[in-house]
Amino acid sequence: MDQPEIFDRRLRRLRRDRAAPDFPAHDFLIDHMADELAERLAMVTRRFDRVLLLGSHDGRLLDRFAAPGRRVFAADPGFAFARSSGGVQCDEDRLPFADGSFDLVVALGTLDSVNDLPGALALLRRVLRPDGLFLGAFLGAGSLAWLRGALMAADEAAAGGIAPRIHPQVDVRSAGDLLSRAGFALQVADGERLDVGYGDPLRLMRDLRGMAGTNLLLSRPRHLSMGRTWLGALFDAFQRAAGPDGRIRESFEIVYLSGWVPDPGQPKPARRGSATASLADALRQTKA
C-alpha cells in the first residue's frame, strides 16, 4: 500500500515559485543553515568531486559548497528555484538520479515538508557512493512556538475552533533514528535554536511566505478566516508577549544531520566488552 501523503506536492512547488522572485529579502534562515553546513564540511579532510545541493533555492548557495575540481549539481522542489540555479526540479522522495552518482549530498532547508522522509533519506543514501557523506539542515520541532500559539488564539476568537496552520515537525532524536533506519553509518543529529525579533506579527508571516515556509498540509482548510476579529486577536497576542522593546522573539529550531554511506574502510565502534579500563574505577578516582 502507498503511504498516505500529508503535504500537497503541487502547492509546495507553487509556493516555492511564488517565493523565488523576492527570496533575497527573506533568505536569512537558509543562509544561516548554508553557512553552518559549509563550515562543518570544511572540517572534513576527504575529497568530494561530485556534489548534489538539494534545496538549491536561487542558486547563490552553490558557491558555498564549491571547491577546485568539484562539480556541484543543483536540485530543488520548485521549478523557479531549479531553473535559476541551473538544476532539476524534483521531490526528495522521488529523486531522478542514478545510484552512486555523488560523493556528497547537501539537503538544505526542505526535508521538513517531504511526504516520505524515511524514503527520502533512503534514496539519498542510494544516490551516494560508498563512503559518501550526507549533510542536512531543516526546521524541527519547537519552531515557531509563539506563532503557533498566537494563530490558535486568533482562530478560536474568530471561528470558535482551531485550523491546522503549521505542520507537524521532526525533533532531533527522531531525525537521528531516521538516519539510522535509512542505513547511514556514523550518523550525527544535533540542533540549534535561533531567536529572531519581530515588531509586527505580519512581518513574521511575510518572512515565512517569502521563504516558502507556509502551510502545505493537504488537510488545511481551503478558506481560512483572516478578518478583523482574527487580526485583532493576533495583535492582542502579540502585545501580551512583546518585551520592553515592543518586539516578540520567535524561535527557529534547526536540526542538523550528517551520516556516511557504509564502507569497509570506515572506523568501526569498539566490540562490546573490549574495554580495558573500568568506568566505575575512573569515577572513583575522579571523586578522590
Side-chain angles (χ1 to χ4, degrees):
M1 295 180 63
D2 292 335
Q3 178 174 327
E5 298 199 336
I6 63 172
F7 296 109
D8 187 327
R9 292 180 186 270
R10 176 177 176 275
L11 182 64
R12 189 177 187 231
R13 292 192 293 270
L14 292 176
R15 292 278 171 86
R16 295 185 74 79
D17 288 349
R18 181 183 67 182
D22 198 35
F23 179 69
H26 309 278
D27 61 0
F28 67 93
L29 198 58
I30 295 299
D31 272 354
H32 182 86
M33 293 181 188
D35 286 342
E36 177 65 25
L37 291 186
E39 184 176 332
R40 296 183 182 205
L41 180 61
M43 294 186 291
V44 180
T45 58
R46 191 186 159 216
R47 179 184 175 93
F48 299 102
D49 294 326
R50 292 175 60 87
V51 177
L52 172 64
L53 178 58
L54 188 54
S56 55
H57 294 80
D58 59 358
R60 292 178 297 108
L61 303 174
L62 294 171
D63 290 340
R64 310 281 180 92
F65 303 96
R70 176 183 296 172
R71 295 188 64 188
V72 182
F73 300 84
D76 195 276
F79 287 110
F81 279 144
R83 182 172 59 247
S84 64
S85 58
V88 299
Q89 186 279 325
C90 62
D91 291 334
E92 297 85 342
D93 53 358
R94 296 179 177 178
L95 295 178
F97 307 106
D99 292 358
S101 297
F102 305 102
D103 305 302
L104 169 68
V105 171
V106 178
L108 194 55
T110 63
L111 291 180
D112 60 312
S113 57
V114 175
N115 274 297
D116 182 7
L117 181 54
L121 291 173
L123 285 176
L124 291 174
R125 181 182 59 80
R126 287 179 54 182
V127 302
L128 282 164
R129 296 168 180 167
D131 203 32
L133 175 62
F134 164 70
L135 294 173
F138 59 90
L139 285 185
S143 296
L144 302 172
W146 177 83
L147 183 62
R148 188 184 299 271
L151 293 178
M152 291 172 62
D155 285 340
E156 188 67 36
I162 297 173
R165 294 179 183 266
I166 298 179
H167 63 257
Q169 297 160 328
V170 180
D171 61 29
V172 171
R173 181 172 181 177
S174 298
D177 290 342
L178 289 175
L179 271 183
S180 180
R181 285 175 51 192
F184 284 99
L186 306 173
Q187 65 270 14
V188 176
D190 62 288
E192 175 190 19
R193 176 174 175 170
L194 290 183
D195 289 331
V196 181
Y198 284 95
D200 177 348
L202 298 184
R203 172 59 190 273
L204 167 58
M205 297 172 71
R206 285 194 295 271
D207 267 347
L208 293 176
R209 178 186 175 103
M211 64 178 74
T214 51
N215 189 3
L216 302 174
L217 291 172
L218 278 168
S219 61
R220 73 194 184 283
R222 293 306 189 263
H223 301 287
L224 292 173
S225 172
M226 293 183 66
R228 293 176 61 183
T229 301
W230 190 93
L231 287 172
L234 179 67
F235 275 87
D236 285 345
F238 176 84
Q239 290 173 358
R240 289 194 300 271
D245 61 352
R247 301 165 71 84
I248 58 102
R249 297 294 185 271
E250 185 56 283
S251 58
F252 295 89
E253 301 282 352
I254 304 175
V255 174
Y256 295 106
L257 299 177
S258 66
W260 295 82
V261 176
D263 181 79
Q266 289 172 348
K268 300 294 190 298
R271 180 175 53 84
R272 185 178 179 88
S274 62
T276 59
S278 166
L279 177 60
D281 288 346
L283 291 174
R284 282 195 292 269
Q285 292 171 11
T286 300
K287 291 179 181 179

